[in-house]
Amino acid sequence: MNGAQLSVEGNSLAFGGLQVLNNVSLSVGEAELLALIGPNGAGKTTVFNCISGFYRPTGEIRLNGASLLGRKPHEIAALEVARTFQHGDVPPQMTVVDAVLAGRHTRIRMNVFSEMLSLPVARRLDAAHRDAVLDILRLCDLETVAERPVGSLPFGTQKIIGTARALAAEPAILLLDESSAGLTQEEREAMARLIMRSKIRSGCRSCGSSTTCRWSPISPTGSMCSTAGPVGAEDRNGLPCLDDEGDIGDARDRPLVADWPPPP
């Protein structure tokens, strides 16, 4: 694990008599996509919860050599570790732009009084953060729905919004928890293109969980990785492949998010 930006070393965790994790180790290096593969209940989300500070396992978790154990979730987020959740967990009443803006909380350095009084410095900072969010929305093809309430959009679009919110934090490590679960094949392809676009653009390291995975292109569950483990899935031929810009075959001109509601 020398040189790995994120390393999990010998993690074990039990709830009462139930052993959830048993000596789990992994590492994520420079510009790497890593997939955690296993059936439901295998502990994939639990690993993410340990990395992001919700659970404290035995063993060690290090980021750039510094231990993350004992740190609170907001402290770990401030160290440029962002994550998504299986069900999106985006407030349905918020507009898309405000929901994604919330993901920049670790980047916002604003005096509460300056904000309350709407001083020039506060307005400049607010404009800068909104410009950054609009850039993320363009990356995710969400600009056409930017002012719509999240709850009025399809489930697949909400999942992309959850990923956009994590990207808004400009993370060095991005944890994607079942990012394609419950999506259609087309929505999975859109999610895959988004992950590859963000990797190519920012170079952030990604660690994703899934029930199955295959090398680099889309899997039957829509997952991608450059390293897969621990439960290997057979490669399948004939699946669409990603090019160097994160596009998939003849779908490269297809937007990630279609206009919603669709035209009559």
Side-chain angles (χ1 to χ4, degrees):
M1 295 183 183
N2 292 335
Q5 184 174 13
L6 174 69
S7 63
V8 175
E9 304 167 4
N11 277 201
S12 296
L13 182 69
F15 299 128
L18 178 63
Q19 189 72 35
V20 182
L21 301 178
N22 185 19
N23 196 30
V24 174
S25 297
L26 60 88
S27 63
V28 182
E30 184 74 19
E32 184 176 6
L33 291 173
L34 178 72
L36 300 180
I37 309 169
N40 291 336
K44 304 183 297 297
T45 296
T46 302
V47 172
F48 283 5
N49 286 338
C50 291
I51 294 172
S52 52
F54 292 103
Y55 298 150
R56 182 167 184 175
T58 60
E60 187 58 85
I61 302 174
R62 296 184 181 276
L63 179 66
N64 292 328
S67 177
L68 297 184
L69 291 183
R71 295 180 185 265
K72 296 179 180 179
H74 71 275
E75 294 173 334
I76 294 175
L79 296 174
E80 299 186 340
V81 178
R83 68 168 296 179
T84 65
F85 296 87
Q86 291 187 26
H87 304 293
D89 291 331
V90 181
Q93 72 278 8
M94 294 182 72
T95 64
V96 172
V97 65
D98 286 339
V100 176
L101 181 62
R104 290 191 64 80
H105 69 281
T106 59
R107 298 280 176 181
I108 295 175
R109 302 288 186 269
M110 193 178 300
N111 182 289
V112 64
F113 296 105
S114 298
E115 188 173 8
M116 289 175 58
L117 298 174
S118 190
L119 297 180
V121 62
R123 294 197 297 271
R124 286 196 300 270
L125 287 173
D126 182 70
H129 286 298
R130 288 190 175 273
D131 286 344
V133 166
L134 292 176
D135 194 29
I136 294 293
L137 295 183
R138 284 190 289 269
L139 174 72
C140 301
D141 288 340
L142 290 170
E143 64 267 40
T144 60
V145 296
E147 298 300 330
R148 294 179 183 270
V150 172
S152 69
L153 299 170
F155 178 74
T157 302
Q158 293 185 35
K159 295 276 280 191
I160 289 178
I161 293 168
T163 303
R165 180 180 59 181
L167 289 172
E170 301 178 23
I173 297 288
L174 177 59
L175 307 175
L176 301 168
D177 193 357
E178 299 280 7
S179 58
S180 63
L183 303 187
T184 66
Q185 181 63 31
E186 184 175 349
E187 289 169 340
R188 289 171 180 172
E189 291 181 3
M191 181 64 74
R193 296 201 304 278
L194 171 56
I195 293 169
M196 288 303 296
R197 283 182 187 178
S198 63
K199 179 179 182 294
I200 292 167
R201 173 180 140 163
S202 65
C204 71
R205 293 77 173 165
S206 300
C207 184
S209 68
S210 178
T211 52
T212 63
C213 191
R214 75 183 292 271
W215 181 269
S216 192
I218 305 298
S219 76
T221 58
S223 300
M224 300 183 311
C225 61
S226 53
T227 306
V231 182
E234 293 183 2
D235 281 358
R236 293 168 172 79
N237 295 324
L239 294 176
C241 294
L242 297 168
D243 64 20
D244 291 337
E245 295 185 0
D247 291 320
I248 302 175
D250 60 1
R252 66 189 57 185
D253 296 324
R254 187 188 309 160
L256 300 182
V257 177
D259 289 338
W260 190 263

